[in-house]
Amino acid sequence: MSNPYKQIFAAPGAKGFSAAGFFARLPIAMAPIGIVAMLSQAHGEYWLAGAVSATYALTNAVISPQISRAVDRLGQTAVVVPTTIVSVLAFIALIAATNQNWPVWTLFASAFLAAAMPSIPALMRARWTELFRNRPELNTAFAFESAADELVYIAGASLSVGLAVALFPEAGMMVSTAFLALGTAAFIVQRGTEPKVRHVAGAAAVGSAIRQRPVQIITLALIFVGAIFATAEVSVVAITKELGQPNAASLVIGVYALGSFLVGLTLGALNLRIPLHRQLLIAVAILALTSLPLLVAGSSVTLLAVAVFVSGIAISPTFITAFGLIERRVPESVLTEGVTWVMTGIGIGMALGAFVTGWVVDSYGPQSGFWVSAAAGAATVLIIALGQRTLSGECTGGEDCAMLEPAQ
């Protein structure tokens, strides 16, 4: 049996833009936690560190889809170059403001401007789509991207905090900014794989990708998936602390991502015949079911690690099928924006999930945090189940198919 991953990387330019893109997207994980590590050490105030990091993350969640919309209209190079320059300069200003004790408002202003960072994962998926549109290799490529995203979150956050603690407060952010500048430059100079700008007839009527029902359904569902992801992290930290083994938290969280990573790679090597909308429903159903053992897994670190590993197996399959559906159900003229909206949903879910879980843990105890995962899992299944007709693409017109029409 041939290796499907070897096949996708045999495409001209695939290895180059994939390698560059991996480093370019490390700041997605490094920057938010890096800001917290840098400011908490330099200023000793966690509220300030959290507020500046939240300013960056929430602003990026709002502006990133707009940047991707511009990419769909003007091309990757035309948009990514200026936005990356703005983001890099803003990160440099944030580092300088921290080191030189500039006024607090400069921290927030720098974080706000740094949010102009483009969505590299969306740009990557757009390039894979350009190479393998309507071919089975695209599923393998999306599987690889989901696995790479997992590695980014595992390695990026650990690297950012580790550098800040081991060297000096600004070290993590300096490396993150260097990855953004050099990685994006290496990515964007590879013009051979850059998607063509498609001025499709009637594209103006399509409007923003978020007006497409499939994008709305998947983005809403992945808000809850992001909440599940964040809930696991917050609850694991709280439970391991209660068990007197706080250092075990990073290991357990790593196991969570490992389960998703391994299953994602395996899924990418298969050529499943099940329709994607059914695959997504199955994936989120497994995600919801495997979150239930977490409710009774807080008695030991070992039991917690096993339950967390099992609960992570459906994360990558959910992402892979979700992005696959976006590629099939969204007009080519707004594909990058559509992918970015889904990723924005994940980010919003992680932020909200962390907040709600933190409140639940403070109010009802560490083990109670996993009830948020259970509730979010049930909501995800309900959303995807109700959206099956739209996601199937079977509707072609008429009142019964209104859900496929752009929202007015």
Side-chain angles (χ1 to χ4, degrees):
M1 181 178 178
S2 60
N3 185 341
Y5 292 101
K6 183 178 180 179
Q7 293 177 8
I8 64 171
F9 285 110
K15 292 179 181 177
F17 81 74
S18 182
F22 180 82
F23 289 101
R25 68 177 135 185
L26 277 169
I28 295 174
M30 294 184 70
I33 190 65
I35 291 172
V36 172
M38 177 176 69
L39 290 175
S40 62
Q41 289 190 83
H43 290 267
E45 296 174 303
Y46 281 94
W47 73 266
L48 177 63
V52 174
S53 181
T55 297
Y56 162 77
L58 293 177
T59 304
N60 183 254
V62 172
I63 198 174
S64 188
Q66 313 313 317
I67 293 173
S68 292
R69 187 179 184 186
V71 167
D72 284 324
R73 294 181 173 184
L74 303 174
Q76 292 189 356
T77 300
V79 177
V80 172
V81 171
T83 54
T84 301
I85 290 174
V86 170
S87 184
V88 168
L89 292 177
F91 276 128
I92 292 173
L94 178 59
I95 294 169
T98 302
N99 184 264
Q100 299 298 315
N101 290 314
W102 291 356
V104 169
W105 70 264
T106 62
L107 300 175
F108 287 96
S110 299
F112 179 84
L113 293 174
M117 184 176 72
S119 176
I120 297 297
L123 302 177
M124 296 281 289
R125 286 174 170 87
R127 293 203 178 201
W128 285 118
T129 301
E130 187 76 3
L131 288 175
F132 301 121
R133 192 182 307 275
N134 299 322
R135 292 168 55 184
E137 290 92 336
L138 186 59
N139 183 68
T140 301
F142 281 0
F144 172 80
E145 285 302 306
S146 295
D149 287 339
E150 296 285 352
L151 283 180
V152 164
Y153 280 108
I154 295 171
S158 299
L159 179 62
S160 189
V161 173
L163 288 170
V165 173
L167 300 178
F168 49 90
E170 301 85 2
M173 285 305 302
M174 290 176 67
V175 173
S176 174
T177 304
F179 279 144
L180 175 61
L182 299 177
T184 304
F187 177 80
I188 213 65
V189 296
Q190 300 180 61
R191 302 295 298 277
T193 52
E194 181 176 347
K196 299 179 180 65
V197 177
R198 287 178 165 79
H199 299 291
V200 181
V206 172
S208 172
I210 198 61
R211 298 179 68 229
Q212 301 292 312
R213 291 300 188 191
V215 177
Q216 293 173 358
I217 293 168
I218 294 175
T219 299
L220 179 60
L222 264 64
I223 287 176
F224 288 99
V225 173
I228 294 172
F229 198 72
T231 297
E233 295 184 348
V234 174
S235 297
V236 164
V237 169
I239 291 173
T240 53
K241 182 178 180 180
E242 183 181 55
L243 292 173
Q245 302 180 60
N247 292 335
S250 59
L251 177 61
V252 176
I253 292 172
V255 166
Y256 182 58
L258 179 62
S260 176
F261 174 74
L262 293 176
V263 175
L265 286 180
T266 302
L267 182 63
L270 302 176
N271 186 17
L272 300 179
R273 301 298 182 183
I274 306 172
L276 273 179
H277 64 285
R278 296 295 184 195
Q279 289 187 42
L280 181 58
L281 181 58
I282 293 170
V284 297
I286 294 173
L287 188 65
L289 289 174
T290 54
S291 67
L292 297 180
L294 293 169
L295 299 174
V296 293
S299 58
S300 71
V301 170
T302 300
L303 183 61
L304 180 64
V306 172
V308 164
F309 178 85
V310 172
S311 71
I313 62 175
I315 293 288
S316 276
T318 298
F319 290 169
I320 293 165
T321 50
F323 288 121
L325 281 167
I326 290 294
E327 184 271 329
R328 286 166 173 76
R329 302 290 176 256
V330 174
E332 293 179 10
S333 58
V334 291
L335 176 60
T336 309
E337 184 194 354
V339 172
T340 304
W341 273 114
V342 173
M343 300 205 68
T344 296
I346 297 170
I348 292 173
M350 291 180 69
L352 294 177
F355 173 77
V356 173
T357 304
W359 177 81
V360 171
V361 167
D362 286 340
S363 302
Y364 302 102
Q367 187 65 45
S368 300
F370 284 125
W371 282 103
V372 179
S373 292
T380 305
V381 174
L382 179 62
I383 293 166
I384 296 301
L386 292 175
Q388 283 291 285
R389 185 167 172 78
T390 298
L391 297 177
S392 71
E394 294 175 358
C395 293
T396 56
E399 293 182 0
D400 291 339
C401 301
M403 284 193 71
L404 272 182
E405 299 299 322
Q408 301 299 321

